[in-house]
Amino acid sequence: MIICVPTMGEKGLQEQVGEHFGRVPTYTLFDTENNSVRTIENTTLHTGGAGYAPDMLAKEGVNVMLCGGMGRRAIELFEQHGIMAYVGAKGTVEQTLQMHREGELTPATSETACAQHAFRGEGHGDGHRHGNC
């Protein structure tokens, strides 16, 4: 199983979780089969590229997304790809993986969606901070 965490750089398990999963510079992928870690660049629309994060991550074989928070449309896109998303992640990738193992993260649903995480730019004004909703 491949678990994805949105991150701020390339420090692997010691990297900080990004506040907004779609706008982070990188994604850290943890493969539970062999305990390997790799980092990929975010090349989606939010960073000047093309496509949406759920589409890109599905192509990378991601099964689970662990993030601080996300909006309803993103949850729907992850569901369409069969990727389970969880919210409440914070700290480092290592801390987030531990929180997931201990059942401390909440499944992302329409009830747990962040109102300020909108689709197609709505609610993403300059300087807007998302935090962990």
Side-chain angles (χ1 to χ4, degrees):
M1 172 172 52
I2 298 176
I3 300 173
C4 177
V5 180
T7 49
M8 299 307 296
E10 300 183 18
K11 296 178 188 170
L13 295 177
Q14 299 311 308
E15 188 58 69
Q16 290 295 307
V17 175
E19 289 185 11
H20 186 291
F21 81 92
R23 293 182 184 230
V24 293
T26 58
Y27 294 102
T28 298
L29 307 181
F30 178 74
D31 188 331
T32 62
E33 299 292 320
N34 57 22
N35 291 323
S36 66
V37 178
R38 68 184 175 104
T39 303
I40 60 171
E41 182 182 356
N42 181 358
T43 59
T44 65
L45 284 173
H46 276 309
T47 59
Y52 297 107
D55 301 326
M56 182 185 94
L57 297 172
K59 289 177 184 171
E60 293 290 333
V62 169
N63 306 101
V64 175
M65 163 60 85
L66 308 178
C67 63
M70 70 174 56
R72 285 186 180 103
R73 179 65 178 141
I75 292 169
E76 291 173 11
L77 290 172
F78 278 111
E79 287 174 351
Q80 288 173 12
H81 287 291
I83 299 172
M84 284 293 305
Y86 294 84
V87 295
K90 59 185 173 184
T92 65
V93 171
E94 185 173 42
Q95 291 167 328
T96 293
L97 291 170
Q98 184 64 32
M99 291 172 70
H100 179 61
R101 280 191 288 274
E102 294 176 2
E104 295 177 8
L105 301 179
T106 304
T109 65
S110 58
E111 290 79 32
T112 62
C114 298
Q116 69 265 39
H117 287 92
F119 185 56
R120 297 189 187 205
E122 297 172 20
H124 291 119
D126 291 334
H128 182 76
R129 293 183 52 87
H130 295 277
N132 289 327
C133 302

